[in-house]
Structures are given as C-alpha cells and as structure tokens.
Amino acid sequence: MRGFDPAPVVMLIALGGLPGAGKSALARSLARRIEAVHLRIDTIEQAMRNAGFTVSGPEGYLAARDLAEDNLRVGRTVIVDSVNPLAITRAYWRETAERLAVEFLEIEVVCSDKAQHRRRVESRDAEIPGLVLPTWQQVLDRRYEPWTTAHVIDTAGRTLEQGVSQAEAIALEAAGRSRP
C-alpha cells in the first residue's frame, strides 16, 4: 500500500458526514490510494431495497459492520462510507475495531460553505441505480448528532486531491507512520 509500506497496518476508517459533503468521492479516492476496501452504506441499503426488503433502521450499517469485520480479519484496511448521523452507529465501528484489535480512525467530512453544499446536493446524480437522493431540505432536517471524536476534513473550496491528501496524512499519523 502506498504510504503504509513496508508492513501494512490494518485499520478501520469510519468516514461520515451529511449528504453532499463529499465523503463518497473522498472515500473512493482514499481507498484507491491506500488499497483499502470501500464499503458504502448507500450501496448496501439500495441493494437491500432492490431485493424487496424494507430498510428502516440500522440494517445497512449492521451488514457493513459484518463485511468490514470479514475484511479486517484477512488483513485489509476498510473504509466505511456513510452519513453516520448517530453516536450509536459510530459505536458499531469503534466496537468492531476494539474487538478485532485494529487501528480505528473517525473522519467527518463537512462542507462549511452552505451555498456550495446546497449546490452539490441539488446538482448531483445518483451513482447507484434506484437510489433516491435527499433534497436540500431533507439534508437540513436530518437528525445529525455532533461528532466529538472525529478528525474533520472541510471540502469547501478545496479539490478532491487536497481532501484525499489530508485524509491520507491523518490515516498515516493514526498508524504511526509518515509519508514516504
């Protein structure tokens, strides 16, 4: 893995934030850069809906938690990409990392420029077939408990590359490494 050589560190990275903040783009790019598994809750939950299931609670998070655990057990770093709006959903990841004795990192992705955030929400396309994206009002009305333990990456006015570089630096620091 670039940045994690010579001995890879197995890590669980919980990456969250409101819809439209830029977390999925950041998670995908970071996963490519550090050769991690990328688990996106939206993908899991939409697959469940497509199979005829009702998703009304933590089902997608629980499925992702179990998939993360499988991948961590075989020595893969895992990035979980989700809104992660509640302390209880964040606890799934922390408890999984503790149980498996792997490094754990929380990153909250925000877009502090409300106008830019709104433009992103209103102009984006669903990358997942069948996924209904939230409106700006739904994003504003969403229950979202403050994070107290996460590193924050603000995507407002920044390129994706800048955000990924910041996330990689945070991950390297958490792993006790520095950039080569």
Side-chain angles (χ1 to χ4, degrees):
M1 292 198 262
R2 191 190 119 172
F4 287 117
D5 290 334
V9 172
V10 179
M11 180 181 293
L12 176 57
I13 301 171
L15 200 146
L18 288 171
K23 70 187 164 302
S24 294
L26 197 148
R28 267 192 307 274
S29 293
L30 180 61
R32 273 193 292 274
R33 185 175 290 183
I34 67 171
E35 298 178 12
V37 173
H38 173 221
L39 297 176
R40 185 174 177 188
I41 301 296
D42 285 343
T43 302
I44 293 167
E45 289 180 342
Q46 190 58 45
M48 295 168 92
R49 285 184 205 98
N50 291 344
F53 295 98
T54 299
V55 179
S56 60
E59 301 91 350
Y61 283 83
L62 295 173
R65 181 201 58 197
D66 292 350
L67 290 168
E69 188 168 323
D70 284 347
N71 281 280
L72 292 164
R73 286 185 189 281
V74 297
R76 299 300 309 252
T77 287
V78 175
I79 300 170
V80 180
D81 166 8
S82 62
V83 174
N84 243 337
L86 308 174
I88 191 169
T89 60
R90 297 174 199 145
Y92 294 154
W93 315 124
R94 186 177 309 102
E95 291 164 2
T96 298
E98 287 172 1
R99 187 173 56 258
L100 298 177
V102 300
E103 294 292 329
F104 178 61
L105 176 61
E106 291 175 296
I107 298 175
E108 181 182 21
V109 180
V110 301
C111 181
S112 62
D113 180 330
K114 295 297 182 200
Q116 182 181 16
H117 191 183
R118 182 177 185 160
R119 278 192 305 277
R120 288 179 186 174
V121 168
E122 292 176 343
S123 66
R124 66 189 185 142
D125 293 318
E127 304 165 331
I128 302 165
L131 181 65
V132 177
L133 296 173
T135 65
W136 176 243
Q137 192 59 52
Q138 289 170 322
V139 170
L140 293 176
D141 293 344
R142 179 178 212 122
R143 180 174 171 204
Y144 191 83
E145 296 173 359
W147 285 43
T148 58
T149 55
H151 295 269
V152 176
I153 295 178
D154 189 348
T155 61
R158 300 180 75 201
T159 67
L160 176 59
E161 178 56 33
Q162 289 170 324
V164 173
S165 291
Q166 183 181 356
E168 181 184 27
I170 292 167
L172 288 168
E173 182 181 327
R177 308 278 174 98
S178 59
R179 278 205 172 117

